[in-house]
Amino acid sequence: MLRHEFQPGRLVAGVVLTAVGVVYAGDATGAWQTPWFVAIPLVVGGLCLAGAAAVLDRAVRRRRSGRTPAGGARTEGAGS
């Protein structure tokens, strides 16, 4: 069983921010030259992708949770 719910928006954000860190680490070690302004579009674009992934994930989860079981009656949680 999973210990927590999978959140693709956070995964995308983490991958993009790690990629930005790798780009600047390569620049710091002298492997390549990176202008200072490269991080801005990478971070903003990555956060937009992460937001889109989170919205899509929420829409899919909301749609799946609204389905009724095979018997036709909608069941509520234990605390409801």
Side-chain angles (χ1 to χ4, degrees), residues 42-57:
L42 286 176
V43 170
V44 171
L47 290 177
C48 287
L49 284 174
V55 167
L56 182 64
D57 178 55

Side-chain angles (χ1 to χ4, degrees), residues 11-45:
L11 175 67
V12 171
V15 168
V16 169
L17 293 176
T18 301
V20 172
V22 168
V23 166
Y24 276 101
D27 183 36
T29 59
W32 55 77
Q33 294 290 329
T34 306
W36 65 269
F37 55 84
V38 169
I40 296 169
L42 286 176
V43 170
V44 171

Side-chain angles (χ1 to χ4, degrees), residues 4 8-9 39 67 78:
H4 58 83
R67 290 186 183 171

